[in-house]
Amino acid sequence: MTTTTDGGPVKRRRDRAAREREILDAAERIFGDRGYQGTSMDEIAAEVGVSKPLIYQYYGSKDGLFLACLSRLRAQLLDAVSEAVLAAPDAEDAMYAGLVAWFRFLDEHPRAWSVIVDEGMLAAGPAAQAADEVRADFVELIATMVRLNLPADRETDEQEIQVIAQTISGATERLAIWRTRSTNPPSAEKTARTLQDLLWQGLHTLRGD
């Protein structure tokens, strides 16, 4: 081990975990701004102040770095939505809280959506699969909320629930894209409330209310 002149260990300026966070933060920003094809590893290394070989050592390739960004975003997004849903007092509030958490997350991570839907990377391959897994996890959260909103004595039709969950997921994606491109987007709360009101009418019909 390297030591100082007095025999003590040299303090590392940044441990690996801290460096990885810095690299992923920079990569998310640059991938989000420039897209996969327009991003270079040199640029990311310069942004963080590390060598390019170090990034390759950690992530193996540009694809590996992109996948690491996507994996972190996936975990953060699902944690935010899941925590909001679980903290809600009832099923109706759970759906609203989950939608608010989704839109707030994208507001707080404005480049996240660009990373997730980067067409230059996600047409095929492992990144496309990882993005599909993000959607699948979100769809399953929605499906769970739909099930909670149905009467206990109503026979569950899983195909019906999947149609509803896929429709809600598609609507949230289109709203996310529209809000990122709008010069005056509605707040996360207003967007979620408007969508919730629309969805709730349909769920009342399914409930037989």
Side-chain angles (χ1 to χ4, degrees):
M1 177 172 56
T2 305
T3 60
T4 60
T5 54
D6 62 1
V10 174
K11 291 187 65 176
R12 298 173 64 188
R13 289 183 301 169
R14 292 174 291 178
D15 62 22
R16 175 163 179 160
R19 280 198 299 267
E20 287 183 337
R21 283 194 299 272
E22 292 174 357
I23 292 169
L24 290 176
D25 287 344
E28 181 183 325
R29 287 194 302 271
I30 297 171
F31 279 130
D33 286 341
R34 301 182 184 278
Y36 177 81
Q37 299 296 341
T39 297
S40 73
M41 297 289 269
D42 286 319
E43 186 175 12
I44 294 170
E47 175 80 9
V48 182
V50 298
S51 68
K52 186 167 67 170
L54 180 67
I55 299 180
Y56 279 104
Q57 177 185 333
Y58 285 175
Y59 301 102
S61 65
K62 183 177 171 181
D63 286 6
L65 178 56
F66 188 89
L67 285 169
C69 287
L70 192 58
S71 177
R72 186 176 71 158
L73 287 169
R74 175 189 185 187
Q76 292 172 338
L77 174 58
L78 291 175
D79 283 350
V81 175
S82 297
E83 287 175 10
V85 168
L86 292 173
D90 55 48
E92 183 175 359
D93 284 337
M95 181 169 288
Y96 170 72
L99 292 172
V100 170
W102 164 270
F103 293 117
R104 277 183 182 168
F105 179 86
L106 297 181
D107 287 346
E108 293 166 1
H109 301 78
R111 297 172 177 86
W113 192 245
S114 297
V115 172
I116 292 172
V117 300
D118 181 5
E119 295 179 357
M121 179 64 182
L122 302 186
Q129 181 179 345
D132 284 343
E133 290 170 357
V134 173
R135 292 184 176 92
D137 288 340
F138 188 57
V139 167
E140 184 51 39
L141 273 176
I142 297 169
T144 299
M145 289 187 283
V146 172
R147 294 185 191 102
L148 290 172
N149 278 290
L150 296 176
D153 59 353
R154 186 185 188 278
E155 184 177 351
T156 301
D157 183 333
E158 281 302 318
Q159 287 185 330
E160 187 178 65
I161 289 173
Q162 284 300 312
V163 169
I164 297 166
Q166 293 286 347
T167 300
I168 295 172
S169 176
T172 59
E173 287 197 17
R174 290 308 309 170
L175 283 168
I177 293 170
W178 169 69
R179 289 179 76 247
T180 60
R181 296 175 179 173
S182 175
T183 56
N184 185 30
S187 67
E189 291 77 11
K190 184 173 183 178
T191 305
R193 176 57 65 196
T194 304
L195 181 57
Q196 166 82 354
D197 290 344
L198 176 65
L199 296 172
W200 204 246
Q201 294 301 315
L203 286 172
H204 275 307
T205 300
L206 287 174
R207 288 171 56 89
D209 295 344

